[in-house]
Amino acid sequence: MRHVESRIQIACVRWFRLQFPDLSRNFFSVPNGGARLKTEGAIMKAEGTLAGVSDLLLLCPAKGWHGLCVEMKTAKGRQQPSQRQFQLAVERQGYKYVICRSFDDFKSEIMSYLG
């Protein structure tokens, strides 16, 4: 299932970078998932890795928001408790948080946010 989500995310990032080249450096993924050695995971945690951070971040204020946090999910995917906690924390600070389940969801959210 992770690869389905990954393929959707790859398509979304490619499209975004073609549509908004001036913002491409402000739009990036947060590599929280995946298998890691215990020592590597401990180092990443000490460096500041935080469970639940959204998959994609757009550091660009728009429409009264400070930035956009995008969580990618498959059609049946559910938020983990840590992801819900992250959502609530960033929304309290003035960031928009969205869950996208398809390329069309993503495109619609981006166009609404930046349009």
Side-chain angles (χ1 to χ4, degrees), residues 14-27 58 106-107 110-111 114-115:
R14 284 183 180 157
W15 174 85
F16 183 91
R17 293 205 168 127
L18 287 171
Q19 295 300 312
F20 304 98
D22 292 345
L23 293 175
S24 65
R25 304 287 294 166
N26 298 71
F27 182 65
L58 175 57
F106 175 82
K107 183 178 175 183
I110 292 296
M111 296 309 289
L114 293 175

mmCIF file of all heavy atoms in Angstrom, residues 14-27 58 106-107 110-111 114-115:
data_model
loop_
_atom_site.group_PDB
_atom_site.id
_atom_site.type_symbol
_atom_site.label_atom_id
_atom_site.label_comp_id
_atom_site.label_asym_id
_atom_site.label_seq_id
_atom_site.Cartn_x
_atom_site.Cartn_y
_atom_site.Cartn_z
ATOM 1 N N ARG A 14 5.875 16.289 -8.964
ATOM 2 C CA ARG A 14 6.274 16.621 -10.348
ATOM 3 C C ARG A 14 5.381 17.714 -10.917
ATOM 4 O O ARG A 14 5.859 18.672 -11.516
ATOM 5 C CB ARG A 14 6.218 15.376 -11.230
ATOM 6 C CG ARG A 14 7.353 14.435 -11.010
ATOM 7 C CD ARG A 14 7.277 13.261 -11.958
ATOM 8 N NE ARG A 14 8.388 12.351 -11.726
ATOM 9 C CZ ARG A 14 8.379 11.086 -12.045
ATOM 10 N NH1 ARG A 14 7.324 10.539 -12.628
ATOM 11 N NH2 ARG A 14 9.432 10.329 -11.802
ATOM 12 N N TRP A 15 4.087 17.547 -10.761
ATOM 13 C CA TRP A 15 3.146 18.536 -11.273
ATOM 14 C C TRP A 15 3.384 19.896 -10.619
ATOM 15 O O TRP A 15 3.437 20.919 -11.300
ATOM 16 C CB TRP A 15 1.708 18.062 -11.027
ATOM 17 C CG TRP A 15 0.698 19.095 -11.408
ATOM 18 C CD1 TRP A 15 0.182 19.314 -12.662
ATOM 19 C CD2 TRP A 15 0.091 20.067 -10.547
ATOM 20 N NE1 TRP A 15 -0.704 20.370 -12.613
ATOM 21 C CE2 TRP A 15 -0.785 20.844 -11.324
ATOM 22 C CE3 TRP A 15 0.197 20.345 -9.186
ATOM 23 C CZ2 TRP A 15 -1.541 21.876 -10.795
ATOM 24 C CZ3 TRP A 15 -0.551 21.374 -8.659
ATOM 25 C CH2 TRP A 15 -1.412 22.128 -9.457
ATOM 26 N N PHE A 16 3.517 19.920 -9.294
ATOM 27 C CA PHE A 16 3.714 21.177 -8.585
ATOM 28 C C PHE A 16 4.954 21.905 -9.102
ATOM 29 O O PHE A 16 4.920 23.104 -9.356
ATOM 30 C CB PHE A 16 3.849 20.940 -7.078
ATOM 31 C CG PHE A 16 3.993 22.217 -6.301
ATOM 32 C CD1 PHE A 16 2.874 22.861 -5.815
ATOM 33 C CD2 PHE A 16 5.237 22.794 -6.088
ATOM 34 C CE1 PHE A 16 2.993 24.064 -5.122
ATOM 35 C CE2 PHE A 16 5.364 23.981 -5.394
ATOM 36 C CZ PHE A 16 4.242 24.625 -4.919
ATOM 37 N N ARG A 17 6.042 21.192 -9.241
ATOM 38 C CA ARG A 17 7.300 21.828 -9.659
ATOM 39 C C ARG A 17 7.233 22.356 -11.085
ATOM 40 O O ARG A 17 7.895 23.345 -11.401
ATOM 41 C CB ARG A 17 8.457 20.864 -9.446
ATOM 42 C CG ARG A 17 8.649 20.628 -7.950
ATOM 43 C CD ARG A 17 10.031 20.213 -7.585
ATOM 44 N NE ARG A 17 10.175 20.298 -6.137
ATOM 45 C CZ ARG A 17 10.597 19.313 -5.368
ATOM 46 N NH1 ARG A 17 10.941 18.168 -5.911
ATOM 47 N NH2 ARG A 17 10.702 19.488 -4.062
ATOM 48 N N LEU A 18 6.434 21.717 -11.929
ATOM 49 C CA LEU A 18 6.243 22.227 -13.288
ATOM 50 C C LEU A 18 5.323 23.448 -13.297
ATOM 51 O O LEU A 18 5.553 24.399 -14.043
ATOM 52 C CB LEU A 18 5.653 21.135 -14.189
ATOM 53 C CG LEU A 18 6.608 20.012 -14.576
ATOM 54 C CD1 LEU A 18 5.848 18.891 -15.277
ATOM 55 C CD2 LEU A 18 7.730 20.531 -15.457
ATOM 56 N N GLN A 19 4.296 23.428 -12.474
ATOM 57 C CA GLN A 19 3.322 24.516 -12.434
ATOM 58 C C GLN A 19 3.826 25.751 -11.697
ATOM 59 O O GLN A 19 3.466 26.870 -12.042
ATOM 60 C CB GLN A 19 2.019 24.039 -11.777
ATOM 61 C CG GLN A 19 1.293 22.979 -12.547
ATOM 62 C CD GLN A 19 0.886 23.447 -13.929
ATOM 63 O OE1 GLN A 19 0.318 24.524 -14.099
ATOM 64 N NE2 GLN A 19 1.196 22.646 -14.927
ATOM 65 N N PHE A 20 4.636 25.527 -10.647
ATOM 66 C CA PHE A 20 5.081 26.626 -9.783
ATOM 67 C C PHE A 20 6.599 26.578 -9.573
ATOM 68 O O PHE A 20 7.072 26.388 -8.452
ATOM 69 C CB PHE A 20 4.360 26.554 -8.427
ATOM 70 C CG PHE A 20 2.870 26.569 -8.538
ATOM 71 C CD1 PHE A 20 2.140 25.388 -8.494
ATOM 72 C CD2 PHE A 20 2.192 27.766 -8.719
ATOM 73 C CE1 PHE A 20 0.765 25.394 -8.608
ATOM 74 C CE2 PHE A 20 0.802 27.782 -8.836
ATOM 75 C CZ PHE A 20 0.093 26.592 -8.784
ATOM 76 N N PRO A 21 7.367 26.754 -10.645
ATOM 77 C CA PRO A 21 8.828 26.643 -10.512
ATOM 78 C C PRO A 21 9.419 27.647 -9.521
ATOM 79 O O PRO A 21 10.414 27.341 -8.862
ATOM 80 C CB PRO A 21 9.351 26.875 -11.935
ATOM 81 C CG PRO A 21 8.229 27.541 -12.668
ATOM 82 C CD PRO A 21 6.958 27.089 -12.008
ATOM 83 N N ASP A 22 8.800 28.809 -9.381
ATOM 84 C CA ASP A 22 9.318 29.808 -8.439
ATOM 85 C C ASP A 22 9.147 29.383 -6.984
ATOM 86 O O ASP A 22 9.811 29.920 -6.093
ATOM 87 C CB ASP A 22 8.635 31.163 -8.641
ATOM 88 C CG ASP A 22 9.015 31.798 -9.978
ATOM 89 O OD1 ASP A 22 9.992 31.345 -10.614
ATOM 90 O OD2 ASP A 22 8.322 32.747 -10.379
ATOM 91 N N LEU A 23 8.264 28.429 -6.736
ATOM 92 C CA LEU A 23 8.025 27.940 -5.373
ATOM 93 C C LEU A 23 8.632 26.558 -5.125
ATOM 94 O O LEU A 23 8.457 25.996 -4.050
ATOM 95 C CB LEU A 23 6.514 27.876 -5.093
ATOM 96 C CG LEU A 23 5.782 29.213 -5.031
ATOM 97 C CD1 LEU A 23 4.285 28.992 -4.872
ATOM 98 C CD2 LEU A 23 6.327 30.055 -3.892
ATOM 99 N N SER A 24 9.347 26.025 -6.102
ATOM 100 C CA SER A 24 9.837 24.644 -5.976
ATOM 101 C C SER A 24 10.779 24.452 -4.779
ATOM 102 O O SER A 24 10.804 23.380 -4.187
ATOM 103 C CB SER A 24 10.502 24.173 -7.269
ATOM 104 O OG SER A 24 11.664 24.926 -7.534
ATOM 105 N N ARG A 25 11.530 25.471 -4.402
ATOM 106 C CA ARG A 25 12.429 25.361 -3.238
ATOM 107 C C ARG A 25 11.675 25.483 -1.914
ATOM 108 O O ARG A 25 12.211 25.181 -0.860
ATOM 109 C CB ARG A 25 13.525 26.419 -3.287
ATOM 110 C CG ARG A 25 14.366 26.432 -4.546
ATOM 111 C CD ARG A 25 15.337 25.305 -4.678
ATOM 112 N NE ARG A 25 16.374 25.368 -3.659
ATOM 113 C CZ ARG A 25 17.175 24.370 -3.382
ATOM 114 N NH1 ARG A 25 17.066 23.244 -4.042
ATOM 115 N NH2 ARG A 25 18.090 24.471 -2.458
ATOM 116 N N ASN A 26 10.430 25.923 -1.983
ATOM 117 C CA ASN A 26 9.606 26.084 -0.783
ATOM 118 C C ASN A 26 8.659 24.902 -0.579
ATOM 119 O O ASN A 26 7.857 24.912 0.343
ATOM 120 C CB ASN A 26 8.754 27.356 -0.886
ATOM 121 C CG ASN A 26 9.583 28.593 -0.991
ATOM 122 O OD1 ASN A 26 10.209 28.818 -2.023
ATOM 123 N ND2 ASN A 26 9.605 29.399 0.035
ATOM 124 N N PHE A 27 8.742 23.913 -1.446
ATOM 125 C CA PHE A 27 7.848 22.750 -1.404
ATOM 126 C C PHE A 27 8.692 21.485 -1.340
ATOM 127 O O PHE A 27 9.472 21.213 -2.244
ATOM 128 C CB PHE A 27 6.964 22.749 -2.657
ATOM 129 C CG PHE A 27 5.972 21.633 -2.688
ATOM 130 C CD1 PHE A 27 4.949 21.555 -1.764
ATOM 131 C CD2 PHE A 27 6.051 20.660 -3.658
ATOM 132 C CE1 PHE A 27 4.027 20.525 -1.801
ATOM 133 C CE2 PHE A 27 5.140 19.624 -3.707
ATOM 134 C CZ PHE A 27 4.125 19.561 -2.780
ATOM 135 N N LEU A 58 4.550 23.133 2.199
ATOM 136 C CA LEU A 58 4.703 24.274 1.310
ATOM 137 C C LEU A 58 4.886 25.497 2.198
ATOM 138 O O LEU A 58 3.957 25.935 2.882
ATOM 139 C CB LEU A 58 3.478 24.446 0.402
ATOM 140 C CG LEU A 58 3.475 25.693 -0.488
ATOM 141 C CD1 LEU A 58 4.707 25.750 -1.392
ATOM 142 C CD2 LEU A 58 2.189 25.758 -1.298
ATOM 143 N N PHE A 106 -5.030 16.671 -4.605
ATOM 144 C CA PHE A 106 -3.858 17.524 -4.412
ATOM 145 C C PHE A 106 -3.930 18.763 -5.296
ATOM 146 O O PHE A 106 -3.760 19.889 -4.824
ATOM 147 C CB PHE A 106 -2.583 16.724 -4.710
ATOM 148 C CG PHE A 106 -1.339 17.546 -4.655
ATOM 149 C CD1 PHE A 106 -0.724 17.822 -3.443
ATOM 150 C CD2 PHE A 106 -0.766 18.053 -5.811
ATOM 151 C CE1 PHE A 106 0.427 18.592 -3.382
ATOM 152 C CE2 PHE A 106 0.385 18.823 -5.763
ATOM 153 C CZ PHE A 106 0.987 19.090 -4.547
ATOM 154 N N LYS A 107 -4.189 18.560 -6.568
ATOM 155 C CA LYS A 107 -4.250 19.678 -7.511
ATOM 156 C C LYS A 107 -5.315 20.683 -7.074
ATOM 157 O O LYS A 107 -5.075 21.901 -7.086
ATOM 158 C CB LYS A 107 -4.541 19.155 -8.916
ATOM 159 C CG LYS A 107 -4.560 20.225 -9.970
ATOM 160 C CD LYS A 107 -4.806 19.625 -11.346
ATOM 161 C CE LYS A 107 -4.948 20.702 -12.388
ATOM 162 N NZ LYS A 107 -5.262 20.143 -13.714
ATOM 163 N N ILE A 110 -4.060 22.638 -3.968
ATOM 164 C CA ILE A 110 -2.998 23.592 -4.319
ATOM 165 C C ILE A 110 -3.594 24.793 -5.056
ATOM 166 O O ILE A 110 -3.268 25.953 -4.744
ATOM 167 C CB ILE A 110 -1.899 22.919 -5.171
ATOM 168 C CG1 ILE A 110 -1.124 21.893 -4.326
ATOM 169 C CG2 ILE A 110 -0.955 23.957 -5.783
ATOM 170 C CD1 ILE A 110 -0.344 22.475 -3.162
ATOM 171 N N MET A 111 -4.459 24.547 -6.021
ATOM 172 C CA MET A 111 -5.043 25.647 -6.786
ATOM 173 C C MET A 111 -5.922 26.524 -5.880
ATOM 174 O O MET A 111 -5.918 27.746 -6.032
ATOM 175 C CB MET A 111 -5.854 25.105 -7.975
ATOM 176 C CG MET A 111 -4.974 24.369 -8.991
ATOM 177 S SD MET A 111 -3.519 25.286 -9.550
ATOM 178 C CE MET A 111 -4.282 26.531 -10.565
ATOM 179 N N LEU A 114 -3.264 28.504 -3.578
ATOM 180 C CA LEU A 114 -2.441 29.500 -4.262
ATOM 181 C C LEU A 114 -3.228 30.377 -5.245
ATOM 182 O O LEU A 114 -2.736 31.430 -5.638
ATOM 183 C CB LEU A 114 -1.305 28.811 -5.023
ATOM 184 C CG LEU A 114 -0.245 28.123 -4.155
ATOM 185 C CD1 LEU A 114 0.750 27.374 -5.028
ATOM 186 C CD2 LEU A 114 0.460 29.134 -3.263
ATOM 187 N N GLY A 115 -4.413 29.920 -5.634
ATOM 188 C CA GLY A 115 -5.176 30.608 -6.677
ATOM 189 C C GLY A 115 -5.859 31.866 -6.229
ATOM 190 O O GLY A 115 -5.909 32.295 -5.136
#
